[in-house]
Amino acid sequence: MPTDKDFKRLVRARMGRTGEAYTTARAHLRPDRDPTRPGPLRGRHPDTAALTRLLAALGVTDPDGGRPLTEAMALGIAGGIGFAYFVFEYEELTTLYLGGRINSYVQKQDATEAALARLGVAFQARRTTGPATAERQLRAALDQGRPVIATVDMARLAYRAVPDWLCGMTPQDVLVEAGDDGDPLLWDLAPAPIPVTWAELAEARAGVRSARHRLVVAEPPAGPVDLAGAAAAGIADTWAGMFEPPMRNFGVPGLAKWAELLTATGDPKGWPRLLAAPGRQFQLLTWLYDWVETAGTGGGFFRAMYAEFLEEAAGPLGRPELAELAGRYRELAGAWTGLARAAVAGGGPLGRAAELLTAKRRLVEERAGGAAKELAAVQAELAALTTEAADPQPLDDAAIGTLLAGLRKRVLDLAEGEEAAAGSLRAAVPA
């Protein structure tokens, strides 16, 4: 059998003939991957994709069928869906945040860590302020032969083409494994890893203050996991977060609050005032579209993926009504998509921005590191649109008034639908 040194020589010879990247050439020469290494998942949300790959690498499977857990199941076990609404105004920047997953502030714990604990997977979550210690911890974990989860600032990884002004505001989890050439490999959403240098990874890990150098190192479970118990705990988090949030920016109350602000002309936080500033229409309306459709939600603000989870959880929990409830969440997914499309309807710069955001998401999901040039081109056009849309505004006063009234009605309908669906969840799986 060839040694690792011999195999690397074969890989580099193929690279010379084909021009392929190291990881691509290696995959062709070693198609039968080690079952403990990440598989060809095409992820939808960075954190749930990283968790799904980690569980597969640890050998966690459905106790009944012996199959690896799906990303939808990982989403549900980790706490499922929710709602969050925040607008932050700074001197030179206003940001909109819409959250469709359970929020860690509401859940009072990290979703990935909650999922591992519920499944009985022993793990350590490490944080440190020192970059040297952080790299030493990561190298030691990889030397054990298993991938680990690291939190990175995506704005500091060049292949994603995230604008520099978002540095420090784009945390996400990635799975990290050791490459054959000694450098780390990142698994983002695409079904192929992305080679990075240790220096690039160190900068990205240090980029988010709230999760600086965060690392999750887990051990394979000793026996079958309690999938039913884990799924039930995740469902309870979902309905509790919708009904009993710690503040009015979350859950069903958050939806009602947002609906009020969409047409509140006398409120300093109302959207009529927010959208009056030059460039603000384009900025906030395209962000609304992105948060719902293209920011790693799988489309429909996570509701379509959550419907898949309910169908998968119905069997282990012995609750066939969950499969029926999945249909209601698919309807909610369609309503969320309708809201997002309404925000950018009418063509012009808003419509073009939605097309570019969709193209960007597709590139990240399908090719990631192999699409760096295309991603940079998409981001450059988005930046140009932002400049062009700054003055004049895309919509006149009458058009924006009509749009906001329509959005308000849609959000109120969503609040009613989300409340009813969460009530059905609570009836099916009480705390």
Side-chain angles (χ1 to χ4, degrees):
M1 291 182 63
T3 65
D4 283 346
K5 184 176 181 180
D6 295 329
F7 179 71
K8 290 177 183 178
R9 188 179 297 114
L10 291 173
V11 173
R12 299 192 186 283
R14 180 183 173 91
M15 291 169 62
R17 295 195 309 272
T18 65
E20 295 169 335
Y22 184 92
T23 52
T24 303
R26 182 187 65 181
H28 281 291
L29 290 171
R30 186 179 284 166
D32 297 326
R33 295 179 54 84
D34 182 339
T36 67
R37 301 178 76 177
L41 169 73
R42 175 177 167 178
R44 286 174 279 185
H45 181 70
D47 295 0
T48 52
L51 174 59
T52 304
R53 289 190 170 108
L54 178 65
L55 292 172
L58 296 173
V60 176
T61 60
D62 179 340
D64 290 334
R67 296 178 298 274
L69 303 188
T70 67
E71 188 178 3
M73 181 60 73
L75 169 71
I77 290 172
I81 56 175
F83 177 75
Y85 168 83
F86 286 94
V87 170
F88 299 101
E89 292 187 87
Y90 307 100
E91 186 173 343
E92 297 182 356
L93 175 67
T94 295
T95 63
L96 167 68
Y97 173 71
L98 296 177
R101 289 184 71 205
I102 187 74
N103 186 279
S104 58
Y105 180 75
V106 173
Q107 196 178 20
K108 296 182 173 55
Q109 60 184 324
D110 176 83
T112 293
E113 295 170 22
L116 293 172
R118 287 166 180 166
L119 289 166
V121 175
F123 70 93
Q124 290 183 333
R126 301 170 181 168
R127 287 178 174 83
T128 178
T129 57
T133 301
E135 182 171 325
R136 185 164 59 251
Q137 289 177 345
L138 176 57
R139 286 180 180 271
L142 295 178
D143 285 344
Q144 297 176 6
R146 287 189 301 273
V148 296
I149 288 177
T151 303
V152 297
D153 181 4
M154 291 312 301
R156 299 177 191 273
L157 290 170
Y159 77 90
R160 273 292 202 101
V162 177
D164 290 342
W165 61 270
L166 285 173
C167 282
M169 295 188 286
T170 59
Q172 75 161 62
D173 287 350
V174 292
L175 201 72
V176 184
E177 67 168 335
D180 290 336
D181 58 355
D183 279 339
L185 297 174
L186 301 188
W187 290 84
D188 196 340
L189 296 181
I194 301 146
V196 296
T197 66
W198 282 101
E200 290 170 335
L201 182 55
E203 182 181 1
R205 292 187 65 202
V208 182
R209 181 176 298 178
S210 61
R212 183 172 294 162
H213 303 132
R214 175 175 175 267
L215 192 68
V216 177
V217 183
E219 299 290 334
V225 298
D226 180 9
L227 187 61
I235 290 172
D237 270 359
T238 290
W239 64 251
M242 293 301 287
F243 286 133
E244 304 163 4
M247 62 186 297
R248 199 179 166 221
N249 289 67
F250 298 103
V252 174
L255 280 163
K257 176 179 179 177
W258 184 28
E260 293 173 7
L261 292 174
L262 281 168
T263 55
T265 56
D267 193 316
K269 298 292 186 182
W271 278 52
R273 188 196 70 80
L274 288 175
L275 298 188
R280 201 71 63 72
Q281 284 182 19
F282 181 86
Q283 180 188 36
L284 294 188
L285 292 173
T286 54
W287 272 359
L288 190 163
Y289 179 88
D290 189 27
W291 283 122
V292 173
E293 283 296 287
T294 51
T297 69
F301 211 43
F302 291 101
R303 272 53 182 173
M305 203 190 322
Y306 196 68
E308 295 175 27
F309 159 68
L310 291 176
E311 289 175 335
E312 294 176 15
L317 283 168
R319 298 283 185 178
E321 62 266 37
L322 292 178
E324 298 173 7
L325 185 54
R328 190 179 303 179
Y329 275 101
R330 285 199 172 88
E331 292 175 0
L332 284 169
W336 277 106
T337 294
L339 172 74
R341 290 176 177 171
V344 295
L350 290 170
R352 180 55 182 161
E355 293 173 356
L356 291 169
L357 288 167
T358 301
K360 184 176 181 179
R361 175 52 43 173
R362 187 174 298 116
L363 287 169
V364 171
E365 289 177 350
E366 294 176 356
R367 295 169 55 201
K373 290 182 179 179
E374 293 95 325
L375 284 167
V378 168
Q379 187 56 50
E381 187 175 349
L382 277 169
L385 279 176
T386 302
T387 303
E388 294 168 8
D391 189 22
Q393 299 277 49
L395 303 173
D396 60 27
D397 290 344
I400 200 66
T402 300
L403 172 63
L404 290 178
L407 294 180
R408 178 179 182 275
K409 183 181 184 306
R410 288 177 181 271
V411 173
L412 285 173
D413 289 343
L414 280 164
E416 182 179 348
E418 292 280 1
E419 185 174 17
S424 297
L425 275 181
R426 179 168 58 185
V429 185

